[in-house]
Amino acid sequence: MTDHPFPLHRHHSLAEAVAAAPRPLNVSRRAFLAGSAAALVVATALPTMGKAQAAPSAAPAVAAFLELHADGTATLQSPFIEGGQGIHSAMAQIVGEELDLDPALFTVVPAPAGGPYGIMGGMRLTGGSASTRVGYPFMRRLGAAARSLLVQAAAREWAVDAAELRTEPGEVVHAASGRRLSYGALAAAAMDLTVPETLPLKDEASFRWIRRPLPRYDVRAKSTGRQSYAIDVAVDAMLIAAVQHAPRLGLTPASIDNRAEIEAMRGVHSVHLLDGAIAVVADRFWQARAAAEAAQVHWEPGGQAEHPMPEDFSTSGWRETLRAADGPGVEIEAAGDVDNAFAAAETRLEAVYEAPFLLHGQLEPPSTLARFNDDGTLDLWLPCQAPEQYAGAAATIAGLSPENVRIHSQVLGGFFGRHFLYAHANPFRQAVPLAKAVGRPVKVMWTREEEFLRDTVRPFGLARFRGAVDANGPVALSIEVVGEGPTGRWYGAPAGADPSAHEGLSGKPYAIANRRLGHVPVQNPAEIGYWRSVGHSMHDFFYESFLDEMALAAGQDPLSLRRTLLAGQTRYLALLDAVAELSGGWRGAAYDHADGTTRARGVAMASPFGSEVATIAEVSVDRGRVKVHEIWVAIDPGQIVNPQTVVAQVQSAVALGVSQTLVEGLTYEQGEPTARNFDAYPILSPDEMPAVHVRILESGAPMGGVGEPGLPGVMPAITNALATLTGRRIRSLPLSAHDFN
Amino acid sequence: MQLTVNGTTREVDVDPETPLLWAIREELGLTGTKYGCGIGVCGACTVLIDGIATRSCVTPVDGLQGADITTIEAAEDTEIGRRVVEAWVSHQVPQCGYCQSGQVLAAVSLLNEVANPTDSDIDGAMTNLCRCGTYNTIRAAVRAAAEA
Ligand code: FES
Ligand code: FES
């Protein structure tokens, strides 16, 4: 596997990255922490320090990772950003388990950029459904390190052998003498001790908190309006900016016809021409927005866009471009002899599948507050999935070194891939020059309309299938996937080394003797980005639908064909058993439901982000409208931390999957998106949400992701169900673009 | 003009066409009410006006003098509000949380009107969007709050 800078696709190297993670160190600084605030501080050597042999006193510059306070509470710096996936709660749950401290006693904060937080082999980001599986072994060691320091401190205090001591939540206990001391009381004494070379971890059978459905710590704040997001941040003397973006990338403002008029509008402080946008700075957002909207801007070709949007770009034209791109493309996977198998086959079938551009549609529009300080540093408050990358880019814009840029990552009002570092989609690129220009802190807030114009989009995708079947099922499968993945765009991965362009067509587990998968690269004129489950968000739809087409051609039931193709692979068979049982037993034909509807079911499997998933959907059609009644999901992430969080994440991923199946799709005309708000780009509404049922299997395989894997099976399960119900095979989404009357 | 929000009447100096959302967030500093779309589609900006869920992004402040406006910050000041918030917490409804101020107030408004809502009552009242897809737990929490 290519060692790629973006770890979303480094599934096979995650374990290595974890194994190479630096050892925890005691970096308490008694002098610095003198007084009542004394705390036991555990960190790690910076990844660049290599052997991690530094003595505690030699590491004064190492930022804290875990602090244990005299009152028995703890503060954990989370390398990962919270955006509803429950990662901060999960981190506390894991550290608390090994430290033997109730996770409820933790305060978890997002770690600042820099410091020892690059636990993904020297870097970090929040994405790829990677946070828990990367964090798990690391956070266990961190907790175990702190526990061992506390046990050593108690052993000294009581002059007994540490081996005679055990811990109970928040306390070290000497059973022989009945003595006990709280962690808070031991924290100061533990400050001078050294983390041992080897850190024994708990026996998993004795876990007290891991695998329990512990509540997430932030739900009360989020149920009472007390959770703050980037859009809510305020500092003294702050001004607010609204922007009007150029209608397409590659245009930049030449002038504003009515500049004097908008400068005179109430509350307006100043008007600015930026790269590809104009901005109005005002006292209030509503004033800034009104002025920015009123600006009559002359746009001219220019600006810094690396990929200018052609002025004649349209979705329909793009579809034709992809269809016309010749294969066979760069070979991704191959087995057997496809050509001979096709030549010998009784039955051959062909199909072209496609999936539209999609917006992220996270409910919080992006914003960034920038403040230059008298000491030459820059503070940025923003939504962000990759703090170090943001710090580097902001430093370049500001003309500072990255150490002088402080990134305050806020709780994300949804993300789904929206807040990676992109070229034109992050408002800090406007906030930094504006704050500099006006000499005051500036918060840039994008309206929904300006957000939909600059959001990165899930690429429009297309794949061509050829299959050959006999009475037993598929004998040959040839696939050409056409297009570009976000990892190719943003991290320079060439065709052949960009899994985001083919995952979900590659890596399928079925035993088909003769197969070939090629990637035909075509650069996308639209600004493409990562969208929940990335390539899987469309490719599993293509593959699992065509697999059903082959089942039909072979005269086989889709579920039993999958069983046949997975013979002997117990992990997959267990998932199919589980999802069928969860649904009350598989139904291969349409049936009349007690409520009067005629319903049918479809099944699909997916292998995303290190987890395995089987999905069944049940649908009906009422007066031309597709109704998804139920979705059953069996997911095997190998092992889990919090079952309630897993269920919540699967529910959420299923909702996004149903949403893109039913209603989502962004179209372009004349280089511009035709939707600028949720009226023209609908997302799943409450009445369209199916009842979602989740069963978790823990096969004991290496831990996989849970944030994204629930999504890829949803689309094909629904369209496979529709094929059974109506006899129609749907090869493009959304369903709202098809007529079911 | 004067706005009565969460039981307190305060003077705000804004143009009459200013949406209530921005008066609440920027003049009164109550940021629990969220901006999502600004066109009345998503419901993130939901507040109660005289007990009824209202999308504040498309409600000008003009004409609200004397109206009784409740934002999420005061949701727990009523018995129904407390029950809804407790149901939200015990069902662990929020994910990113951004839509949830509006969801909670939409549920309070529903239960203010109908003590024991049917499925179609819930369908009719709980129309706010949630991109995190918490719709199943929202429905369960509304039921639990009604039965509490
Ligand atoms: S912000 Fe008011 S309905 Fe969306
Ligand atoms: S919880 Fe994220 S939008 Fe509803």
Side-chain angles (χ1 to χ4, degrees):
Chain A
M1 179 128 202
T2 317
D3 185 24
H4 194 268
F6 196 58
L8 282 184
H9 296 299
R10 289 162 70 185
H11 307 152
H12 302 293
S13 61
L14 284 178
E16 293 160 36
V18 166
R23 194 163 61 79
L25 299 171
N26 185 351
V27 296
S28 307
R29 279 160 277 154
R30 187 172 288 280
F32 177 67
L33 294 163
S36 58
L40 174 62
V41 182
V42 182
T44 60
L46 292 168
T48 48
M49 283 175 69
K51 291 198 208 95
Q53 296 294 340
S57 59
V62 175
F65 223 130
L66 171 65
E67 295 177 24
L68 194 69
H69 309 287
D71 65 357
T73 62
T75 302
L76 178 69
Q77 300 282 336
S78 169
F80 306 111
I81 312 301
E82 180 59 54
Q85 78 280 44
I87 193 61
H88 283 185
S89 297
M91 292 291 122
Q93 199 165 349
I94 301 165
V95 177
E97 184 69 64
E98 290 291 347
L99 173 54
D100 214 355
L101 183 69
D102 188 338
L105 295 172
F106 281 73
T107 301
V108 186
V109 296
Y117 311 112
I119 67 172
M120 292 169 148
M123 61 88 72
R124 55 136 171 185
L125 46 73
T126 305
S129 294
S131 303
T132 303
R133 54 196 164 124
V134 171
Y136 184 71
F138 181 87
M139 293 294 158
R140 286 185 71 185
R141 287 215 300 270
L142 196 63
R147 180 179 174 276
S148 116
L149 294 169
L150 293 159
V151 169
Q152 288 179 62
R156 276 199 186 184
E157 176 78 22
W158 295 327
V160 298
D161 192 310
E164 293 174 31
L165 305 179
R166 62 184 172 80
T167 58
E168 287 178 8
E171 289 182 320
V172 183
V173 179
H174 186 232
S177 64
R179 282 175 293 188
R180 44 181 72 221
L181 271 173
S182 72
Y183 284 0
L186 287 164
M191 289 171 67
D192 300 323
L193 305 173
T194 308
V195 176
E197 281 288 322
T198 52
L199 285 170
L201 298 179
K202 266 193 180 175
D203 175 6
E204 293 186 9
S206 69
F207 280 169
R208 187 188 290 270
W209 290 297
I210 289 176
R211 297 212 178 93
R212 294 278 178 80
L214 298 193
R216 283 171 283 125
Y217 72 94
D218 53 3
V219 293
R220 185 171 292 276
K222 287 175 173 176
S223 302
T224 52
R226 289 201 297 272
Q227 177 66 59
S228 172
Y229 301 82
I231 201 169
D232 304 321
V233 178
V235 295
D236 283 348
M238 173 181 87
L239 292 166
I240 306 289
V243 301
Q244 184 189 139
H245 284 131
R248 48 178 208 276
L249 290 180
L251 295 178
T252 205
S255 61
I256 301 172
D257 279 352
N258 56 343
R259 184 167 186 146
E261 188 186 313
I262 64 170
E263 280 172 345
M265 286 172 74
R266 184 174 178 192
V268 170
H269 172 282
S270 49
V271 177
H272 305 259
L273 305 190
L274 302 174
D275 178 44
I278 64 104
V280 176
V281 177
D283 294 330
R284 297 284 190 261
F285 173 73
W286 187 249
Q287 300 163 338
R289 179 204 167 124
E293 252 175 19
Q296 291 158 12
V297 186
H298 265 306
W299 304 105
E300 63 182 11
Q304 294 165 16
E306 198 181 324
H307 301 98
M309 169 61 92
E311 64 184 305
D312 61 349
F313 182 74
S314 70
T315 314
S316 52
W318 179 240
R319 175 185 294 113
E320 296 317 311
T321 302
L322 292 183
R323 282 183 184 253
D326 283 332
V330 180
E331 188 167 283
I332 305 299
E333 285 180 0
D337 184 338
V338 172
D339 292 338
N340 269 332
F342 276 115
E346 309 160 15
T347 308
R348 288 182 286 267
L349 56 159
E350 290 188 11
V352 180
Y353 279 83
E354 64 177 52
F357 291 111
L358 298 178
L359 294 163
H360 290 95
Q362 82 294 344
L363 213 51
E364 179 193 12
S367 55
T368 297
L369 169 59
R371 182 183 68 194
F372 285 92
N373 305 299
D374 292 341
D375 63 0
T377 60
L378 169 64
D379 282 294
L380 291 170
W381 290 264
L382 40 63
C384 151
Q385 292 179 246
E388 286 75 17
Q389 292 180 23
Y390 274 58
T396 303
I397 296 171
L400 298 172
S401 67
E403 306 82 69
N404 287 329
V405 177
R406 277 185 297 272
I407 298 288
H408 306 270
S409 304
Q410 302 297 301
V411 166
L412 305 166
F415 56 121
F416 323 119
R418 174 63 184 83
H419 298 302
F420 288 119
L421 185 70
Y422 297 119
H424 303 281
N426 312 119
F428 77 84
R429 296 177 192 278
Q430 299 163 342
V432 170
L434 288 172
K436 202 171 216 174
V438 304
R440 282 170 66 176
V442 172
K443 180 162 72 172
V444 173
M445 292 165 61
W446 284 6
T447 61
R448 177 60 59 186
E449 289 79 7
E450 298 306 319
E451 158 67 353
F452 274 10
L453 191 53
R454 281 293 176 276
D455 187 10
T456 58
V457 290
R458 198 282 302 273
F460 186 108
L462 184 143
R464 293 188 283 263
F465 288 80
R466 285 194 306 140
V469 302
D470 63 20
N472 296 317
V475 293
L477 175 60
S478 170
I479 310 169
E480 293 171 1
V481 60
V482 188
E484 182 187 11
T487 300
R489 170 67 57 93
W490 297 110
Y491 294 87
D498 176 8
S500 70
H502 55 73
E503 59 193 359
L505 295 164
S506 54
K508 301 296 286 189
Y510 305 111
I512 298 175
N514 305 291
R515 16 183 207 100
R516 185 185 183 283
L517 168 63
H519 172 202
V520 182
V522 181
Q523 194 175 80
N524 202 315
E527 199 82 333
I528 58 174
Y530 292 89
W531 196 90
R532 198 172 192 169
S533 80
V534 196
H536 288 284
S537 70
M538 52 187 165
H539 298 144
D540 287 285
F541 159 57
F542 301 166
Y543 188 109
E544 293 284 320
S545 300
F546 192 72
L547 187 61
D548 264 39
E549 291 200 55
M550 291 196 288
L552 187 67
Q556 298 257 345
D557 172 80
L559 184 67
S560 52
L561 177 71
R562 282 176 175 78
R563 279 186 196 288
T564 307
L565 297 176
L566 295 167
Q569 302 203 62
T570 52
R571 191 178 182 193
Y572 299 102
L573 294 173
L575 279 167
L576 285 173
D577 286 343
V579 77
E581 186 193 283
L582 186 64
S583 71
W586 172 243
R587 291 170 180 269
Y591 77 102
D592 292 324
H593 190 269
D595 70 1
T597 55
T598 302
R599 301 186 181 188
R601 292 184 182 178
V603 63
M605 301 194 78
S607 307
F609 303 92
S611 290
E612 299 293 341
V613 183
T615 306
I616 291 177
E618 182 166 288
V619 306
S620 69
V621 177
D622 179 26
R623 278 160 290 173
R625 189 162 172 263
V626 176
K627 173 78 185 162
V628 183
H629 296 274
E630 315 273 341
I631 299 276
W632 296 276
V633 178
I635 179 168
D636 175 9
Q639 36 184 328
I640 64 161
V641 172
N642 185 326
Q644 186 164 303
T645 303
V646 174
V647 169
Q649 283 298 292
V650 172
Q651 288 250 352
S652 173
V654 166
L656 221 57
V658 177
S659 188
Q660 71 148 318
T661 308
L662 294 182
V663 294
E664 285 186 52
L666 184 70
T667 54
Y668 290 85
E669 299 287 348
Q670 261 107 49
E672 295 181 34
T674 56
R676 299 289 297 273
N677 209 321
F678 289 119
D679 52 351
Y681 184 91
I683 62 172
L684 191 76
S685 61
D687 59 323
E688 294 166 328
M689 180 76 183
V692 181
H693 316 271
V694 182
R695 180 168 297 174
I696 301 166
L697 277 68
E698 285 190 90
S699 61
M703 189 179 281
V706 299
E708 298 168 275
L711 198 152
V714 171
M715 296 75 67
I718 292 171
T719 54
N720 287 341
L722 273 174
T724 297
L725 185 69
T726 66
R728 270 179 68 187
R729 174 52 58 184
I730 298 300
R731 299 193 183 92
S732 69
L733 297 177
L735 296 176
S736 57
H738 297 267
D739 185 0
F740 285 94
N741 275 309
Chain B
M1 66 171 294
Q2 291 191 327
L3 284 179
T4 304
V5 176
N6 302 335
T8 307
T9 301
R10 283 170 62 181
E11 188 69 31
V12 293
D13 178 21
V14 295
D15 292 336
E17 70 275 15
T18 304
L20 176 61
L21 169 64
W22 298 106
I24 289 170
R25 285 182 57 87
E26 299 200 299
E27 306 303 322
L28 304 181
L30 298 170
T31 55
T33 308
K34 297 304 187 205
Y35 165 64
C37 69
I39 57 168
V41 171
C42 75
C45 62
T46 301
V47 299
L48 302 181
I49 298 183
D50 298 325
I52 307 293
T54 307
R55 293 184 174 177
S56 64
C57 71
V58 287
T59 306
V61 293
D62 198 18
L64 291 178
Q65 193 124 357
D68 179 14
I69 299 162
T70 305
T71 68
I72 186 67
E73 285 85 356
E76 290 173 288
D77 289 357
T78 66
E79 167 60 23
I80 287 176
R82 274 192 293 279
R83 268 168 29 206
V84 170
V85 167
E86 287 316 312
W88 247 245
V89 172
S90 65
H91 284 75
Q92 297 272 296
V93 173
Q95 291 198 15
C96 87
Y98 197 77
C99 73
Q100 298 296 344
S101 298
Q103 305 283 6
V104 164
L105 290 180
V108 171
S109 173
L110 168 63
L111 297 185
N112 280 344
E113 297 282 296
V114 193
N116 279 302
T118 61
D119 262 340
S120 71
D121 291 334
I122 295 177
D123 285 343
M126 300 302 292
T127 57
N128 289 1
L129 300 178
C130 174
R131 188 56 159 170
C132 300
T134 63
Y135 298 130
N136 282 186
T137 47
I138 284 174
R139 183 171 288 267
V142 171
R143 286 235 172 72
E147 285 157 16

